[in-house]
Amino acid sequence: MSDISRRDVTLGAAGAYAAFGLDKAITFVDAAHAQQSVTQPFRKYKVGDIEIFSLIDGMRDVPLREGMIRNVSVEQVKTVLRGAGFPDNRAPLRFIVMALKLRDQVVLIDSGTGGHPIYGEGNGRLFESMAAAGLDPKAVKTILISHLHGDHIYGLMNNESDGQVFPDADIVVPAAELKWWTRPGVESIDLGPTRKGLAQRIQATVATWKNVRTFEGEPELVPGVHAVQAPGHSPGMVAHLVTSGREQFLISADVVNLAPHISTNPEWQLAIDQDPQMAVETRRKIFDRAVTDKLTISGTHWLMPNVGTLAKDGSRYVFVAEG
């Protein structure tokens, strides 16, 4: 199913802000370790007649701290990291935008960080990765938004002016998500440094743009792509199920976003999730569906290759990556 043109290459950069409630600079993967987890700018897959691309928008390492996982100690997290072959003082994180090629148009699922400084140097590489994959940004006709966190929507807007990057594209947003981020008083809720000012920016941009449409439930958003409700990480988040012929591919957004956590510890309650307990329930529901229906699955922040399959192992899951 995968189409990989060359082996993983090492990318490097320095300086970023933490995604897990931190406000200090962090560092990227060092060269020695990067061979295990950093990749070329894109990978391509086929689902029936639909081409799907994983496009690297950026990367960084998140230093461990007490409280990052609400119901697990730092020492337990370190044990899992070591068992997965990673250094035990930081967790690798990727920012990946998925793209679908449907005949003569390109559909993006989310838009990445937009190079916003809160996500650090080396992010905002979506157009670079699209060029490497042979995708023209001008061919983007639809952008399906999973949820309204900055690393998924800041690629829609200019960092200085808030002007639209894709003014001619149809932007499709879950109604429950937009409603939550525009409700009275949401601006005063402390959701950590990476979400500071997020509600105000949503209200000034996405909430006012004429090319934004919302939906409820789990409709077909574009031919072959249905929404799948996945609340927890953000109140109205959805995943996207791509179907062509007998093949199905589930793009699971931020159902889980800590790499070693993908397959081994679904019960971890991540502090980055706005409702950690609901996120656990959603994670099990989504993962059980992937196992039962034999879906190919991917996630926004999973290490490359971020596409594979899941199998059940008692109360846990085993993720087997493609390629």
Side-chain angles (χ1 to χ4, degrees):
M1 183 177 180
S2 63
D3 178 9
I4 304 167
S5 60
R6 57 189 173 88
R7 296 293 297 172
D8 289 355
V9 296
T10 302
L11 303 176
Y17 289 93
F20 289 89
L22 302 178
D23 56 7
K24 296 180 180 180
I26 60 177
T27 58
F28 281 79
V29 175
D30 59 45
H33 177 64
Q35 296 293 342
Q36 300 179 34
S37 56
V38 184
T39 187
Q40 66 187 81
F42 76 95
R43 293 195 177 206
K44 184 171 71 174
Y45 303 87
K46 286 276 288 184
V47 178
D49 296 330
I50 300 174
E51 290 182 319
I52 300 184
F53 298 80
S54 294
L55 304 166
I56 286 282
D57 183 59
M59 60 197 70
R60 68 185 179 199
D61 271 11
V62 179
L64 296 187
R65 66 173 177 86
E66 196 69 54
M68 178 186 290
I69 313 297
R70 290 179 21 167
N71 58 340
V72 176
S73 71
V74 167
E75 289 305 314
Q76 288 173 284
V77 179
K78 287 182 176 181
T79 298
V80 170
L81 284 169
R82 286 193 297 267
F86 297 109
D88 66 4
N89 62 345
R90 60 190 188 274
L93 186 68
R94 298 290 173 266
F95 298 92
I96 298 172
V97 174
M98 305 298 290
L100 314 179
K101 193 170 183 181
L102 303 171
R103 299 181 181 86
D104 60 343
Q105 71 164 303
V106 175
V107 175
L108 294 184
I109 297 185
D110 296 323
S111 66
T113 64
H116 192 285
I118 196 66
Y119 297 107
E121 298 175 11
N123 289 294
R125 306 169 91 165
L126 174 60
F127 279 21
E128 175 186 333
S129 296
M130 289 183 72
L135 300 175
D136 184 356
K138 294 180 181 179
V140 175
K141 304 301 183 185
T142 306
I143 303 173
L144 307 179
I145 299 299
S146 65
H147 62 296
L148 294 173
H149 290 169
D151 55 324
H152 295 255
I153 64 165
Y154 282 169
L156 298 174
M157 59 198 72
N158 181 279
N159 284 324
E160 286 72 39
S161 68
D162 277 350
Q164 290 203 55
V165 173
F166 299 95
D168 298 322
D170 186 23
I171 300 171
V172 186
V173 179
E177 183 74 355
L178 187 58
K179 182 179 180 180
W180 194 91
W181 286 100
T182 55
R183 67 178 186 168
V186 69
E187 306 90 345
S188 63
I189 301 174
D190 183 5
L191 296 171
T194 62
R195 296 172 192 160
K196 185 176 182 180
L198 175 59
Q200 294 93 322
R201 200 172 187 202
I202 291 169
Q203 292 164 23
T205 56
V206 177
T208 67
W209 290 344
K210 301 302 183 183
N211 56 330
V212 171
R213 66 178 172 92
T214 61
F215 66 91
E216 297 180 354
E218 298 186 335
E220 186 175 45
L221 303 173
V222 295
V225 183
H226 283 81
V228 176
Q229 293 295 315
H233 177 69
S234 194
M237 189 175 79
V238 300
H240 295 93
L241 182 64
V242 181
T243 303
S244 180
R246 296 183 177 180
E247 296 187 38
Q248 292 187 309
F249 187 118
L250 183 61
I251 300 170
S252 68
D254 287 9
V255 166
V256 60
N257 52 23
L258 187 59
H261 178 29
I262 290 173
S263 57
T264 55
N265 297 280
E267 76 282 359
W268 284 5
Q269 296 183 16
L270 278 67
I272 192 90
D273 293 333
Q274 288 180 231
D275 186 333
Q277 182 55 51
M278 181 179 288
V280 169
E281 295 169 6
T282 292
R283 187 174 304 127
R284 288 195 176 279
K285 179 180 177 181
I286 292 290
F287 283 6
D288 284 344
R289 179 173 179 175
V291 173
T292 300
D293 294 347
K294 296 180 172 57
L295 305 178
T296 302
I297 188 170
S298 71
T300 301
H301 300 293
W302 300 9
L303 302 185
M304 294 284 257
N306 70 321
V307 170
T309 56
L310 287 169
K312 199 73 179 289
D313 180 18
S315 62
R316 300 182 177 187
Y317 303 83
V318 176
F319 176 72
V320 180
E322 295 250 348

